[in-house]
């Protein structure tokens, strides 16, 4: 299991060091600094073995988190734990920075003591942790409160405490998708997929039992068989095929496996209910058509057309097209029909920004790039043209059908809950080769 | 004031200040002081001097302060054990606290203090806490048992904590169950043979129930533990799989990977024709793909594992090629892994796409990645025959880019393509030759030289090309030198007329001017081959090469099986068994996949795969791709056996074919009196040169005397001679232990066979053996295999295999061996003498001519003569008898009614001994003269 956990700043100075196992010595702290943080070469692997000691590291801004072990640990678990550790710290004191870590080091030690015991991760749900690890110190808990804490930390529903009360029962569902695309210069889709998340903010009283439904093809088809055949045909069009999905630990997985129904008791506040991935029938919100022509050795002509491909009534926002330029670019002239375009020498790219664009529209940019003659034999790698945008629909076609709330002990029903649903589609890695 | 008050203190004066603050009456001031102490501790400063002052702060009701003090204690208790005792009372008191959080904190911290005296006090509180009413305390206590076991395993067993821990597996609280499982798994790992984790269907059922209810981490512990279970039959296996599959939808990647591990393992037991088997295969793909949308570090772990899974069960991901396409922003370690998997998944169906991608990658910036991409194109060509042409033309395109490392890499892979598809793509050789000058890496140069040598007849200026390389022969790396030597010899065999000078030049460069034994050896081999029998040389050097196989870097099947059992862990990331990177006893157990229960007829179910399915010929890696000594190896071979020299008509005189240069070679073939030191021994016979003790003959004859004592052991069958057991260590001298024994050579292995008799009243255990340094470097090849204790008046037989690689020291007499045997009572020393015949190796048969020459060249004063009396065997019987002991008869001659047997034998250290045995019919006395 995890033998020790260290946090370093960008210089390699130790900010936090907690050793759990006897086989990890103080020299391990230095070994990582010397061999990884101060290494001349770029990091080639997130797992490093130095003198039979394995180091796992992740970086958050310029802070290094490293877990150390001498055993054959579960590597996936170690990384998941490091991410979780980051989440917990962020939930307690915001951004992970050198300053915040130094100011909160006592808290961090307290957390590390609680969520990692002898190198075994323990309950790390912030909801539960916040009930008994506070920076104010625990004062005057009654016996009932204490046992409530412990039963929550160890209990089946470790993510929610009992006795939550809201005057207004309200919940927010955000369907957040990122569309990933890799397109060939000829407009052929090399790969495309949507990775989506359903994020829920729940402000519900008691221990509500929730049921979430969406236009999952498997569910709809199953229902369609029972109902009228024409209805099945209709709904079949609207349903989507989900390649795979994963759920927050509150969701009863065995129930999903057998009935494909998503039922759970939600944590209080914001959390990620599910993640999913689709690859079929994706609505690609934009198409990029590049045209790059090399005119002699010292000039490039670039023309890029973007086309929006969704309902004209919808508006895409924060559109940004990034056209890479060679390293030996000396000057660029740009003309664009819409928005603003600028050559950014430091980023080796022309950045074209458009604030808003409606569906079924088209826009164009053309640029002349002058090059300095070089004798560098290495050809310019021609990185792909990438795009960023935000659209108010789910490119996968996912629709929330219902989210039912049942709380039998308290006197509010599903109808009394105010529910909000929002869809946001963003660009993931949306690239067109040129 | 500094920004970070806790991180800004140093010097000694401050320790003093802190001391004062720690003893202050004000609570706040105390707490701040402890914080400062912890901060200094973090940055590695020694604040152990404050130990008593900090411990004094322990008695507080402020939980935060208490935790800080505990943290300090955990760090320094070990260095100040006496002081740490001061803290015990507080711990014991805290374990009784009404607040469960404090009880748990106390027991958790106590387990981290590795001081013997404290652990004694820990037992009682721990026992209580294991049965605490609060689950939070119980789950902490469960882990504490593992901690205690790490400090003092015996104590844990004596106190019966293991049984309590086992009971916790049936606890009502899932988290307690999970932690108990984790603790038990860890303890069980250090006791490989114990039945600690007694996994039976009932416990498995409990674990599966807890699996649905516990935290994500608990699920990982339970799944990892489940993976160690072997179901009784396919039905049980299926039912476990069914209950594990829902975990594939968990948000935590580690849960998913551990579930994959369980499924991959248990799947082995399912009959392949089962519907469920197919369903399961289908269910595995989506979660594996989903792992690729995790954070990059997890992607890396996932990809390393997918690499294994794809090798074991290619069908799972065969349609998912696209998800492994490299993204521009992927970190380099993800890119390289994806590339590997792409090649594994490449097939005729998707090869066009793959090639287009690979070509794209070959223009990227990162040199390693580009190289790997180029290499991947070559591997596609070898793997998918239909695509070979496309691959070759892609490679040619890449060569046209003239980017140096791309060109070099391309040439290396084209060489492999030539080997796989001979006489198909040789038209591109001209293009390759154009780039000769730009090659500066050994591997690329060697590959190019191989191509030139192999296709010398089609390249008009092959001799010029090779000659150009020859100019800087000594500056080249060994790889290139070896290749150049071989290529020129090939060229000579193909075009003997024009290249005689060239071949002489390279042979003399290789044999005379080089320090590298591999190069010299190969030079001599070629030289002798060419000089004695050019036809044979042609047959050997230009022999048909075995075709290269498609997968060049498959993991060896048994290792793969083991790694599949370690999915998700570091072993699967390193692609090494845990024993390769874990110290001590942990993880040394080798895990295996369970065998398939049903359908043995299906060709690759379970571990039967290794047996019934001929594994594809595995070529270790690009580097030693062509381990064919005589023709094409690119790296120095590690083992070079004796050359298959043509045995007929090797006349010394005929050696002089190639003129003056050979004189030296012939000269070397004469085995001088300094037999061991002559390099010719190494070159000619593949025996390591050894220094020979000056006074060798007399003791040897002593030993030989023993061996030739044929009369005494007439009844013995053909096996090697082995003297009867004699008592080496009388019981009187060794507190009741009597050892009698002998030495023997069985199936090429020297063995020391012993009978250990216990003549004392008490049981003897823990036997071990050691040798003093001796003349032939004999050493035990393994531990003494006495597994059971030897009771009074009991005796056991042991055979200890010996190796001859131990340290060497000349003994008097030569065959003396000093042995130390240890048991639970004492250490005993004795010495024994081994028969020299034991050291005669199986390949001690010398060539006739060589024998003759050697015999002549050994000075007379190295000869020893003695007589064997009373031997009634005829010469043939004696000869066959001696052969059993690896004394080989080279020739037999009958002169004046006497049979003369000429014999050779070789000792383990490479020294040859030649003997002449004179047998006179009717005279029971033999005359032996030995030389060496």
């Amino acid at each position: 299991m995890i033998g020790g956990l260290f946090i370093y700043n960008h210089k390699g100075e130790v900010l936090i060091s907690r050793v759990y196992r006897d086989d990890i010595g103080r020299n391990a702290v230095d070994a990582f600094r010397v061999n990884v943080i101060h290494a001349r070469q770029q990091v080639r692997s997130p797992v490093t073995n130095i003198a039979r000691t394995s180091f796992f590291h992740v970086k958050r801004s310029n802070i290094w988190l490293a877990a150390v072990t001498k055993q054959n640990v579960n590597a996936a678990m170690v990384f998941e734990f490091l991410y979780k550790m980051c989440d917990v710290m962020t939930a307690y004191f915001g951004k992970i920075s050198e300053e915040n870590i130094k100011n909160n080091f006592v808290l961090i030690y307290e957390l590390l003591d609680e969520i990692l015991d002898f190198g075994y991760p323990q309950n790390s749900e912030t909801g539960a942790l916040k009930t008994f690890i506070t920076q104010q110190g625990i004062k005057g808990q009654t016996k009932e409160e204490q046992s409530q804490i412990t039963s929550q930390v160890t209990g089946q529903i470790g993510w929610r405490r009992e006795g939550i009360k809201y005057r207004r029962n309200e919940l927010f569902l955000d369907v957040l998708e990122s569309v990933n695309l890799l397109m060939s210069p000829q407009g052929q889709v090399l790969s495309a997929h949507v990775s989506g998340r359903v994020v829920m903010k729940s402000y519900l009283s008691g221990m509500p039992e929730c049921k979430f439904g969406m236009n999952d093809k498997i569910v709809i088809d199953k229902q369609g068989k029972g109902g009228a055949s024409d209805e099945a045909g209709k709904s079949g069009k609207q349903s989507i095929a989900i390649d795979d999905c994963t759920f927050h630990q509150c969701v009863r997985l065995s129930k999903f496996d057998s009935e494909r129904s998503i039922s759970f008791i939600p944590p209080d506040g914001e959390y990620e209910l599910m993640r999913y991935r689709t690859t079929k029938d994706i609505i690609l919100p934009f198409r990029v058509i590049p045209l790059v022509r090399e005119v002699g050795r010292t000039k490039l002509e670039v023309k890029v057309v973007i086309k929006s491909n969704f309902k004209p009534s919808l508006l895409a926002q924060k559109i940004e097209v990034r056209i890479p330029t060679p390293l030996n670019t000396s000057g660029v002239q740009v003309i664009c029909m819409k928005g603003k375009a600028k050559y950014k020498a430091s980023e080796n790219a022309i950045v074209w920004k458009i604030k808003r664009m409606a569906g079924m529209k088209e826009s164009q940019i053309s640029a002349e790039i002058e090059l300095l003659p070089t004798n560098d034999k290495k050809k310019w790698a021609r990185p792909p043209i990438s795009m960023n945008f935000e659209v108010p629909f789910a490119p996968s076609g996912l629709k929330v059908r219902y989210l039912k709330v049942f709380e039998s002990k308290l006197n509010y029903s599903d109808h009394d809950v105010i529910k909000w649903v929002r869809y946001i589609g963003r660009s993931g890695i949306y690239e067109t080769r040129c | 004031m500094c920004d970070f008050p806790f991180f800004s203190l140093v010097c000694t004066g401050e320790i003093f200040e802190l001391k004062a603050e720690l003893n202050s009456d004000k609570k706040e001031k105390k707490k701040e002081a402890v914080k400062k102490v912890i901060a200094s501790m973090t940055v590695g400063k020694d604040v152990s001097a404050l130990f008593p002052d900090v411990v004094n702060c322990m008695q507080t009701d402020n939980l935060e302060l208490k935790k800080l003090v505990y943290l300090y204690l955990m760090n320094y208790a070990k260095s100040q054990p006496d002081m740490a005792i001061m803290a015990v009372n507080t711990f014991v008191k805290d374990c009784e606290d009404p607040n469960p959080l404090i009880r748990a904190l106390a027991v958790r911290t106590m387990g981290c203090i590795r001081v013997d005296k404290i652990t004694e006090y820990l037992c009682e509180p721990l026992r209580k806490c294991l049965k605490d009413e609060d689950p939070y305390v119980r789950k902490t206590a469960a882990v504490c048992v593992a901690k205690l076991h790490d400090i003092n395993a015996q104590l844990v067993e004596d106190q019966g904590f293991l049984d309590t821990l086992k009971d916790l597996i049936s606890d009502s609280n899932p988290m307690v169950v999970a932690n108990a499982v984790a603790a038990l798994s860890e303890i069980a790992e250090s006791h490989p043979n114990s039945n600690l984790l007694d996994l039976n269907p009932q416990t498995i059922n409990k674990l599966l129930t807890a699996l649905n209810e516990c935290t994500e981490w608990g699920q990982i512990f339970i799944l990892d533990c489940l993976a160690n279970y072997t179901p009784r039959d396919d039905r049980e296996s299926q039912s476990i799989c069914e209950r594990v599959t829902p975990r594939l939808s968990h948000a935590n990647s580690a849960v998913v990977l551990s579930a994959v591990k369980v499924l991959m393992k248990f799947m082995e037991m399912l009959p392949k024709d089962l519907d469920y088997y197919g369903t399961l295969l289908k269910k595995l793909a989506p979660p594996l793909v989903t792992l690729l949308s995790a954070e990059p570090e997890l992607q890396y772990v996932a990809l390393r594992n997918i690499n294994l899974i794809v090798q074991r069960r290619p069908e799972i991901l065969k349609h998912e090629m696209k998800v492994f396409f490299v993204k521009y922003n992927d970190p380099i370690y993800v890119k390289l892994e994806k590339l590997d998997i792409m090649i594994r998944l490449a097939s005729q169906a998707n090869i066009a796409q793959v090639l287009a991608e690979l070509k794209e990658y070959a223009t990227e910036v990162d040199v390693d990645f580009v190289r790997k991409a180029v290499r991947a194109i070559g591997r596609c060509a070898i793997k998918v025959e239909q695509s070979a042409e496309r691959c070759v033309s892609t490679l040619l395109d890449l060569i046209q880019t003239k980017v140096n490392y791309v060109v070099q890499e391309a040439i290396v892979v084209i060489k492999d393509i030539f080997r796989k598809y001979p006489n198909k793509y040789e038209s591109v050789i001209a293009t390759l030759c154009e780039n000769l000058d730009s090659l500066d890496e050994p591997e690329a140069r060697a590959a190019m030289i191989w191509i030139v040598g192999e296709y010398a007849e089609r390249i008009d200026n092959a001799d010029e090309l090779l000659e150009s390389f020859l100019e800087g022969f000594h500056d080249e790396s060994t790889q290139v030198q070896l290749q150049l030597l071989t290529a020129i010899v090939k060229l000579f065999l193909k075009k003997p007329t024009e290249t005689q000078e060239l071949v002489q030049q390279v042979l003399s460069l290789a044999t005379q001017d080089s320090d590298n034994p591999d190069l010299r050896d190969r030079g001599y081999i070629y030289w002798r081959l060419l000089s004695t029998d050019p036809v044979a040389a042609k047959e050997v050097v230009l022999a048909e090469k075995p075709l290269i196989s498609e997968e060049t870097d498959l993991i060896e099947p048994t290792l793969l099986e083991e790694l599949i059992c370690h999915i998700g862990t570091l072993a699967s990331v390193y692609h090494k068994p845990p024993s390769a990177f874990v110290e001590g006893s942990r993880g040394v157990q080798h895990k295996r996949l369970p065998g398939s229960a049903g359908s043995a007829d299906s060709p690759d179910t379970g571990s039967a795969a290794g047996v019934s399915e001929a594994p594809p010929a595995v070529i270790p890696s690009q580097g030693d791709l062509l381990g064919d000594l005589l023709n094409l190896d690119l790296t120095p071979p590690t083992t070079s056996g004796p050359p298959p020299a043509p045995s007929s008509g090797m006349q010394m005189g005929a050696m002089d074919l190639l003129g003056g240069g050979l004189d030296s070679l012939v000269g070397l073939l004469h085995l001088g009196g300094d037999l061991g030191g002559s390099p010719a021994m190494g070159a000619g016979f593949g025996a390591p040169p050894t220094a020979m003790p000056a006074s060798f003959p007399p003791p040897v004859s002593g030993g030989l005397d023993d061996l030739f004592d044929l009369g005494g052991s007439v009844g013995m069958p053909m096996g090697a001679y082995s003297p009867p057991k004699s008592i080496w260590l009388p019981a009187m001298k060794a507190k009741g232990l009597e050892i009698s024994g002998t030495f023997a050579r069985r199936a090429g292995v020297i063995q020391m066979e012993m009978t250990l008799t216990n003549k004392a009243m008490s049981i003897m255990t823990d036997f071990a053996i050691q040798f003093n340094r001796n003349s032939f470097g004999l050493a035990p090849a393994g531990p003494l295999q006495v597994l059971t204790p030897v009771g009074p008046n009991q005796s056991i037989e042991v055979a200890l295999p010996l190796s001859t690689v131990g340290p060497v020291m000349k003994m008097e007499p030569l065959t003396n061996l000093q042995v130390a045997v240890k048991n639970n009572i004492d250490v005993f020393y004795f010495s024994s003498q081994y028969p020299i015949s034991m050291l005669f190796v199986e390949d001690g048969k010398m060539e006739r001519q060589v024998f003759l020459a050697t015999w002549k060249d050994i000075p007379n004063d190295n000869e020893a003569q003695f007589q064997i009396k009373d031997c009634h065997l005829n010469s043939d019987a004696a000869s066959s008898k001696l052969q059993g002991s690896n004394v080989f008869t080279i020739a037999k001659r009958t002169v004046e009614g006497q049979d003369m047997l000429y014999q050779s034998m070789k000792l383990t250290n490479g020294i040859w001994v030649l003997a002449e045995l004179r047998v006179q019919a009717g005279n029971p006395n033999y005359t032996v003269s030995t030389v060496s």
Side-chain angles (χ1 to χ4, degrees), chain B residues 641-927:
Chain B
S647 56
S648 61
M650 190 164 97
Q651 304 261 319
M652 285 299 179
M655 291 293 279
D656 224 336
L657 263 184
L658 280 169
L662 269 182
D663 279 353
S664 60
L665 178 60
V666 176
L668 287 170
L669 277 170
H670 292 261
L671 301 167
D674 58 336
L675 185 141
S678 157
M681 280 302 277
F685 308 105
T690 23
M692 169 151 157
S695 60
F696 191 64
V700 158
S701 6
L704 284 175
D705 198 8
D706 213 11
L707 172 66
F708 282 81
D709 184 11
L710 300 159
S713 54
V714 178
M716 268 180 67
M718 275 302 283
Y721 168 65
S722 153
K725 279 186 182 169
S726 57
I727 291 179
W728 284 338
L729 183 70
M732 302 266 286
K733 275 190 181 173
K735 301 185 181 166
L737 174 68
E738 186 185 84
I739 300 179
S740 61
T742 184
F743 294 89
R745 187 179 185 89
R746 304 209 191 280
V749 180
I750 305 170
Q751 286 195 338
M752 183 161 159
E753 297 173 343
M754 285 178 288
T755 310
L756 308 177
T757 312
N758 181 358
K759 296 198 168 168
M761 300 304 289
S762 56
I763 292 173
M764 294 181 178
T765 54
D766 302 321
F767 284 95
I769 194 164
Q770 228 173 7
F771 291 175
N772 197 358
R773 290 191 291 168
N774 54 67
S775 317
F776 291 95
L778 284 175
L784 194 60
Q785 296 290 335
V786 184
L787 299 173
T788 49
V790 186
N793 272 326
Q794 215 181 331
S795 66
I796 52 159
E797 305 272 348
V798 245
L800 176 74
L802 306 181
S803 69
T804 54
V805 292
V808 177
M809 184 176 78
K810 211 193 134 219
M811 298 296 292
E812 204 61 62
L814 204 68
T815 56
N816 196 10
L817 180 67
Q818 295 178 338
V819 184
V821 169
K822 196 185 87 176
N823 63 8
N824 58 333
I825 296 167
D826 206 342
V827 184
F828 312 108
Y829 303 92
F830 63 89
S831 68
S832 64
Q833 286 195 23
Y834 47 90
I836 191 92
S837 64
M838 196 181 76
L839 299 170
F840 295 161
V841 295
E842 275 72 15
D843 60 345
K845 189 164 177 134
M846 209 182 236
E847 285 299 334
R848 239 180 144 126
Q849 299 297 331
V850 181
F851 182 89
L852 215 66
T854 315
W855 186 276
K856 272 185 207 151
D857 281 298
I858 298 175
N860 280 338
D861 46 3
N862 268 11
E863 185 168 332
Q865 266 200 19
F866 52 93
Q867 292 223 325
I868 301 168
K869 299 232 163 72
D870 270 314
C871 182
H872 297 283
L873 292 168
N874 66 18
S875 59
D876 287 338
S879 151
S880 70
K881 197 158 195 48
L882 287 169
Q883 177 122 15
S885 296
N886 292 333
V887 178
F888 299 93
T889 306
I890 308 297
K892 183 182 157 186
R893 186 153 76 117
T894 312
V895 185
E896 304 159 1
Q898 283 186 338
D899 280 342
M900 318 270 274
L901 293 178
Y902 292 92
Q903 292 166 318
S904 76
M905 51 226 112
K906 191 171 114 186
L907 293 169
T908 46
N909 57 1
I911 295 172
W912 290 84
V913 179
L914 310 181
E916 182 190 52
L917 186 65
R918 217 175 289 181
V919 184
Q920 208 162 4
N923 185 346
N925 295 351
Y926 287 14
T927 309

Side-chain angles (χ1 to χ4, degrees), chain B residues 529-555:
Chain B
L529 262 178
L530 293 175
S531 55
T532 48
D533 191 347
V535 182
K538 214 163 185 164
E539 268 170 29
V540 173
V541 180
L542 301 180
E544 191 113 333
K545 283 158 289 297
L547 281 188
I548 204 163
S549 83
E550 59 179 47
E551 283 293 349
T552 52
D553 57 351
L554 278 178
I555 293 174

Side-chain angles (χ1 to χ4, degrees), chain B residues 200-399:
Chain B
N200 53 45
Q202 287 78 38
T203 37
I204 291 293
N205 201 27
K206 279 176 200 155
L207 293 184
L208 285 168
T209 313
L211 187 61
N212 287 323
E213 294 163 353
C214 61
T215 64
E216 44 194 329
W217 314 115
Q219 297 186 17
I220 299 169
F221 307 152
I222 292 179
L223 287 169
D224 283 351
C225 173
L226 272 181
N228 291 327
Y229 177 65
T230 314
R232 287 163 309 171
D233 51 32
D234 52 330
R235 304 223 4 220
E236 191 189 4
S237 178
Q238 179 176 347
S239 82
I240 295 175
C241 286
E242 278 166 357
R243 293 177 70 178
V244 167
T245 32
R247 298 298 120 197
L248 293 176
S249 306
H250 203 285
N252 187 316
S253 309
V255 175
V256 176
L257 267 177
S258 291
V260 168
K261 165 163 62 191
V262 174
L263 296 176
M264 281 293 285
K265 207 177 158 189
F266 289 8
M267 227 159 118
E268 301 285 344
M269 295 189 67
L270 298 177
K272 279 200 155 176
D273 41 5
L274 197 70
D275 285 348
Y276 181 71
Y277 179 84
T279 322
L280 199 55
L281 273 185
K282 266 190 219 122
K283 276 193 175 170
L284 275 172
L288 287 175
V289 173
T290 299
L291 290 177
L292 297 185
S293 48
E295 287 85 346
E297 291 88 3
L298 267 175
Q299 275 187 53
Y300 174 73
V301 174
L303 286 164
R304 293 292 283 176
N305 280 290
I306 289 173
N307 199 328
L308 299 172
I309 294 168
V310 163
Q311 286 184 57
R312 182 75 197 165
R313 299 200 174 274
E315 62 271 29
I316 294 178
L317 286 166
K318 65 181 174 207
H319 299 302
E320 303 287 353
M321 172 59 95
K322 273 189 180 176
V323 298
F324 297 103
F325 284 178
V326 170
K327 290 181 197 144
Y328 191 72
N329 293 328
D330 281 337
I332 182 68
Y333 49 81
V334 169
K335 284 185 176 175
L336 293 172
E337 292 309 315
K338 281 188 173 173
L339 204 51
D340 250 350
I341 295 169
M342 278 173 70
I343 302 162
R344 295 211 193 286
L345 291 177
S347 66
Q348 205 183 334
N350 56 24
I351 194 74
Q353 262 185 329
V354 174
L355 266 183
E357 280 294 306
L358 291 176
K359 198 177 170 187
E360 200 73 41
Y361 304 160
T363 59
E364 282 226 27
V365 206
D366 191 284
V367 177
D368 284 348
F369 180 61
V370 170
R371 282 173 178 276
K372 199 160 182 175
V374 175
R375 230 157 239 235
I377 298 176
R379 275 166 65 184
C380 284
I382 288 165
K383 193 172 177 196
V384 186
E385 187 162 357
Q386 293 79 0
S387 74
E389 196 157 342
R390 280 249 266 313
C391 296
V392 171
S393 75
T394 310
L395 287 170
L396 284 179
D397 286 351
L398 289 173
I399 288 177

Side-chain angles (χ1 to χ4, degrees), chain B residues 556-685:
Chain B
E556 189 258 325
T558 47
L559 177 60
L560 181 62
E561 276 191 28
E562 193 184 347
L563 292 180
I564 290 283
C565 299
H566 287 292
I567 283 179
T569 68
L570 263 180
S572 71
V573 174
Y574 293 145
H575 288 185
K576 282 181 191 158
S579 51
F581 59 90
V582 175
E583 279 165 8
S585 60
R586 279 200 182 111
V588 181
Q589 294 159 271
H590 290 276
K591 295 189 179 175
R592 296 259 307 167
L593 290 174
S596 98
S599 56
D601 50 327
S602 54
D604 61 331
T605 32
S607 52
V611 191
S612 58
E613 195 185 9
V618 176
I619 298 180
S621 74
Q622 203 73 25
D624 34 37
L625 198 58
L626 312 165
D628 176 356
L629 165 75
L630 284 165
N631 203 335
L632 7 96
D633 57 342
L634 296 173
T635 45
T638 44
T639 51
S640 50
S647 56
S648 61
M650 190 164 97
Q651 304 261 319
M652 285 299 179
M655 291 293 279
D656 224 336
L657 263 184
L658 280 169
L662 269 182
D663 279 353
S664 60
L665 178 60
V666 176
L668 287 170
L669 277 170
H670 292 261
L671 301 167
D674 58 336
L675 185 141
S678 157
M681 280 302 277
F685 308 105

Side-chain angles (χ1 to χ4, degrees), chain A residues 15 21-22 26 44 54 72-73 75 80 83 109-110 114 117 120 122 124 150 190 244 246-247 277 433, chain B residues 42 44 67 114 134 136 139 147 179 186 217 249 251 253 286 290 297 322 333 368 568-571 574:
Chain A
L15 305 179
R21 296 267 174 153
D22 204 37
R26 180 86 201 170
R44 302 299 268 197
S54 298
N72 183 29
V73 297
E80 282 285 3
Y83 302 143
Y109 276 124
E110 206 178 326
E114 186 58 44
D117 190 5
Y120 289 105
Q122 305 292 307
S124 48
T150 56
L190 295 173
D244 188 36
T246 59
F247 296 98
R277 182 167 45 85
R433 288 186 179 150
Chain B
T42 298
K67 282 181 180 174
R114 305 177 64 92
D134 194 296
Y136 183 77
K139 71 111 183 164
K147 290 179 191 169
N179 276 5
E186 180 167 340
W217 314 115
S249 306
S253 309
T290 299
E297 291 88 3
K322 273 189 180 176
Y333 49 81
D368 284 348
T569 68
L570 263 180
Y574 293 145

Side-chain angles (χ1 to χ4, degrees), chain A residues 344-404:
Chain A
K344 292 196 174 164
S346 58
E347 295 166 36
N348 287 311
I350 300 167
V351 180
W352 176 25
K353 285 182 178 168
I354 305 169
K355 276 196 184 134
R356 258 175 234 97
M357 191 165 168
M360 304 318 255
K361 289 270 188 334
E362 184 176 317
S363 191
Q364 186 185 335
I365 186 173
S366 42
E368 274 187 27
I369 302 168
E370 274 163 42
L371 304 174
L372 290 169
T374 58
N375 46 9
D376 193 2
K377 268 193 187 164
K378 226 183 191 172
K379 239 182 68 186
W380 178 45
R382 282 208 188 182
I385 296 174
S386 59
M387 229 192 132
N388 288 316
F389 53 80
E390 205 180 288
V391 289
F393 61 90
S396 68
L398 182 128
K399 289 268 183 324
V400 176
R401 287 172 57 222
Y402 56 81
L403 197 147
K404 292 177 195 154

